Amino acid sequence: NAGVTQTPKFRVLKTGQSMTLLCAQDMNHEYMYWYRQDPGMGLRLIHYSVGEGTTAKGEVPDGYNVSRLKKQNFLLGLESAAPSQTSVYFCASSLGAAQTGELFFGEGSRLTVL
Amino acid sequence: KQEVTQIPAALSVPEGENLVLNCSFTDSAIYNLQWFRQDPGKGLTSLLLIQSSQREQTSGRLNASLDKSSGRSTLYIAASQPGDSATYLCAVPSGTYKYIFGTGTRLKVLA
């Protein structure tokens, strides 16, 4: 059982380049999330989805876009990368709403923007 | 506004010691509380989830307790091992999609 899988695990971009991070879960979870983790800032929610075809903004959505075309996949896109987007990105999923279930995380994707 | 605090921020103990990690929250109206561990350069691994109706949950050498009235949860680790060295975080839901994470306790178990 793979759980939550993120690809790629590492990426280096130049300012202005674009890229997409892929998150896949095999637990049939409805809710999926993208967080970023920075030293001293903790985990901050970028975007989330409550089901296939839905997305919503979290705390720090600017500069990112997401899509959830299939229930098992949640994609995070950077259209024009900036050095401030250098971070470790985590995808997470849960069966239902936060009040009801357990949250599971992927291994993370470390992004460096030069 | 819910705030989650973990004290101490860092802890070093000799191998074999039993230890307690603390998690405090300001709003006692929580549905559940989850404990995670994070190894350096890795993701968060779920350790235990305690529902609001439960007082404690156990998994192996780990025991988590929840006291909603006092706004506290503790994670008890029995017979600590060097492999337990990691950062431990607690989290509580705040609404349907938002989680409030604690500041974390960085644990080092010395061999």
Side-chain angles (χ1 to χ4, degrees), chain A residues 6-11 19-23 34-35 64-65 74-78 88-90 108-111:
Chain A
Q6 293 181 229
T7 52
K9 291 186 170 36
F10 302 94
R11 186 74 188 269
M19 75 157 295
T20 300
L21 298 178
L22 170 63
C23 176
W34 276 107
Y35 290 90
Y64 305 95
N65 57 75
F74 195 29
L75 279 64
L76 178 70
L78 284 72
V88 182
Y89 292 86
F90 289 103
S109 297
R110 186 175 295 275
L111 174 65

Side-chain angles (χ1 to χ4, degrees), chain A residues 31 33 35 37 43 45 48 50 57-59 90 94 96-108 110, chain B residues 31-32 34 36 38 40-49 51 89 91 93-99 101-102:
Chain A
Y31 283 56
Y33 312 81
Y35 290 90
Q37 187 177 43
L43 284 156
L45 181 65
Y48 66 99
V50 301
K57 295 180 180 180
E59 305 167 70
F90 289 103
S94 60
Q99 302 97 321
T100 62
E102 195 170 354
L103 189 62
F104 295 88
F105 280 84
E107 286 285 288
R110 186 175 295 275
Chain B
Y31 288 87
N32 59 61
Q34 193 167 354
F36 298 89
Q38 185 174 26
K42 299 289 187 180
L44 281 70
T45 300
S46 178
L47 297 173
L48 289 163
L49 172 72
Q51 299 292 350
L89 297 118
S94 177
T96 58
Y97 66 87
K98 188 172 182 178
Y99 293 83
F101 291 87

Side-chain angles (χ1 to χ4, degrees), chain A residues 7-33:
Chain A
T7 52
K9 291 186 170 36
F10 302 94
R11 186 74 188 269
V12 178
L13 289 177
K14 294 181 180 178
T15 296
Q17 288 185 318
S18 63
M19 75 157 295
T20 300
L21 298 178
L22 170 63
C23 176
Q25 53 91 7
D26 61 2
M27 297 174 282
N28 201 33
H29 283 177
E30 290 292 339
Y31 283 56
M32 296 186 75
Y33 312 81

Side-chain angles (χ1 to χ4, degrees), chain B:
Chain B
K1 179 187 172 187
Q2 179 74 274
E3 292 182 3
V4 181
T5 307
Q6 294 182 248
I7 296 173
L11 182 64
S12 285
V13 299
E15 182 177 6
E17 192 164 297
N18 301 325
L19 58 98
V20 173
L21 305 180
N22 297 298
C23 172
S24 299
F25 45 93
T26 54
D27 184 350
S28 62
I30 63 170
Y31 288 87
N32 59 61
L33 185 144
Q34 193 167 354
W35 281 95
F36 298 89
R37 74 172 274 170
Q38 185 174 26
D39 295 285
K42 299 289 187 180
L44 281 70
T45 300
S46 178
L47 297 173
L48 289 163
L49 172 72
I50 315 178
Q51 299 292 350
S52 61
S53 58
Q54 298 175 311
R55 294 281 298 187
E56 59 180 55
Q57 276 278 28
T58 298
S59 176
R61 293 183 293 109
L62 305 179
N63 177 277
S65 67
L66 177 63
D67 184 345
K68 286 177 56 179
S69 61
S70 66
R72 285 189 61 199
S73 176
T74 60
L75 181 66
Y76 174 84
I77 302 177
S80 59
Q81 303 169 357
D84 295 329
S85 298
T87 297
Y88 290 81
L89 297 118
C90 60
V92 297
S94 177
T96 58
Y97 66 87
K98 188 172 182 178
Y99 293 83
I100 308 297
F101 291 87
T103 45
T105 295
R106 193 167 56 253
L107 173 67
K108 189 167 186 177
V109 181
L110 305 169

